[in-house]
Structures are given as C-alpha cells and as structure tokens.
Amino acid sequence: MLKRIIFLVIVIVLLKPTYDFGSKLVSDVNVLLNENNINIQDATSEVLSNVSSTAKDTIVQTASTITAVDAKLPSSVETTEELAEAFYYHFSRWETDFEIRYDGSTTNIETIIETAVEEAANRDQYILGHLADRKIEFEYNQFGANIKVHQSYLTNAAQEEVVNEKVAAILATVDPASLTDFERVKFVNDYIVKNTEYSEETSASPHSAFAIVQENRGVCQGYALLALKMLQAFGVETKYVVGEVYTGGHAWNLVKVDGEWYHLDTTWNDPTPDRKNIVSYGYFLMNDEKMELDHSWIQSDYPSADSNKYAFMAQVDHAYEVDGMIYYSNVDDNNRLYRLDLNTGENTRLTDSRAQYIVGYSDWLYFSNYSHGGYLSKIKKDGTEESIIYKKEVNNLFVEDGSVYFNTDSGLKKIEL
C-alpha cells in the first residue's frame, strides 16, 4: 500500500534595517565671487564614457564564468548521503521541478528527506541564500519512495549565468596574485558599495545577487551573497551570516584575512541615502566584540572573530586610495583630512580642514572643504599648499580625463587639471 505525504519548507527572506550612518556635514553659506584664475566649465550635459574608479563603475559582460558546478547525479540513490547528492545536483542547476527515486528503508522517510535537503542546501551557502519556497511530495512503501520536488529560487539559471559573467568581468580588472587578503576584501567591499544603492524597488528579487549586478540595487541579502561569490572567486575564505539587528533579520559576511576571521557588512558600509561613490568602513573587518554591539547571530554556528587588527578602519570615510595610501575624512577627528600608510600603519593628519568627497590627480588631492562652506579645495598629498579653488559648495567629486568633476546647485561642473 502506497502512502502519500506533502510537506512545505519555506526559506525566510531577510530585510535590511534602516540605518542612518551619521549626519552629513553641510554649511549654509553665501556664494562668493570666484577669485581664482581657473576655468569652470558646465558639464551637466556631457556624456562620461569611461568613468574612473572614483565614480560609479559600469560592469562589462564577458563570456567567462567563475566556477563550474561539480555535482553529479547519482545513478542509484540508496542512502541519505546519496539523496543529499541528488538534491544538490538539482539545486546547483537551479531546477524548479524534479523527481528522485529513493531505494531503501523508509522507516524514517520524512527524517531522511529533511536531513538530505538540509545537507544539500548547506553544501553551498550561495545557493542556500537563494533558495525560496519548497514543496515536496512523496509516495512510498517499505522498500522505497518516489520523491517529487517543486523548488523556487530568488533567481534562475539564466540570471545566474549573468552573475557569473559579470563577476568574472569585475575581477578581471585586477590581478588577484598582486593583492593581499586585506586588499581583496577592500576591493570587493568598495566595488559593491560604489555600485549599489540600497533599495527594494527592483525588477528581480532585491534579495538576490543578480539584482545587485544587473540593476545596481538590492537589500542586505543581495549585498552579502554577491560579496560571498566575489570573495570566494578571489580565493578569500568567506561565510554568509544570517542574524538580527534592531529592525529584524539581516545578512552579512565573515571573511578570513591572513588566517583571522573578521565581520564584513557591505550593506552597512553603504551610506543611506546613497552617497554615490562614498564608501564607509564602519563595519569593515570587525571582531565579534564590536559587531555584537548592534548585530546578533548564533555564534556557535560560525567561526569566532577575535582580532582587533583592523579596528582603525572604522574611522575612515570618503576614502581615496592610491599607491598604498588611503586619504580619508577621519570621523573620529571631526572629519579632518588624514593619510594612512597601509604598509606601515602610520596615520597622519594632513590639515585641520574638514574634508569630504576626496579624489586625487597626480600629486594633488581635491575635496569639499567643510571648514570653508564646502568649497572646492586642493592640497598636495604631503599636506602642503592647501588652497580653495572654487568658492561654491560642491559634492560628489570624481576625476576623469584630466579634469575634476563636481556637482553644484547649478549642475555638474568641471575643471581641467
């Protein structure tokens, strides 16, 4: 006599908390006459064909993929382990409807199926993070069972191919062998933050990595899953973490840098509302002690993060990195302009001026000077020869083709350097 049983498994989709990274420093000032001998050009209608690394990046599609699924469909499914292998085979191909024949004792068939599903899902955290509603029906007798599965995902096989292609294109812009673990993690954090706006308003699921790479929008789950995929492709050991913050469910990553585990929350490193190319490092390579101040998770499920080596990164805002140096607005010192030597750890204040939207060209740094009304200023990288070059509040600076571009209340402007 055959018995028929149906059960459902639902994967809860996470929501990103509303998080105010802090007040933006803005001074209300009167516009003064420009006393500098420079040429200010209106760039509002100019088409920027090749955006620099300080501006929003355009992802180029390629025909390559990151990894090939190495699962194999067992020819005979007779144990829980083989059943898990069969489930993983179908999950890894993003298949929605499939059947599995199980030949073996069915005394604890429900437990066998549940164990196999859990083992298959946990085999790949990227796939696990994209699993959605699941319906399983099975007919069985004492000798075996016919198992029918309907599995839905936050994405599909075609979309995942796009993710693979775009991630390959992103990582192809750098040489992983030339980067340290720290630099690899920073590259991924910076790329995701610069190219993503936190939003639930997406065509694809905002919880998927696909929405992030295709629409440049998404929520914490998408941020963390894309970070997982990019970092693993970079050779950085990474975990996908599911936990809680004050507004509810949340997702982020654990990463191993030089043998030590650290927390990385790319979502909370992305200021809201979106600040274009500005990257925060308030949740970059944090230890458990700091992270648990506003995040909670089942710590026994994940490796411990005890190192405080990179705690200094929390003070970094509006960062511009070049030649092993980070020039940044120091949130612990009233947003004054600092220089951090990544090789020696030496940290130097360059000026008493409060700086935001920092960019560089040749020997010079350019920034919005909020000690002087947000005016466009420049200073040499050694901290000398500081001056105001445009007496009007500016923001969202970037450099391209020998010019510095900036927004004003009258539109996009540029100065040739």
Side-chain angles (χ1 to χ4, degrees), residues 9 84 87 91 112-122 134 136:
V9 179
F87 272 106
F91 290 166
I112 291 171
I113 293 175
E114 289 173 358
T115 301
V117 168
E118 182 178 4
E119 180 183 325
N122 288 327
R134 178 184 308 122
I136 297 177

Side-chain angles (χ1 to χ4, degrees), residues 2 99-102 137-141 144-148:
L2 292 175
E99 296 185 21
I100 303 172
R101 173 62 190 178
Y102 173 77
E137 300 178 294
F138 57 94
E139 297 178 338
Y140 71 98
N141 56 30
N146 293 319
I147 304 168
K148 294 183 179 180

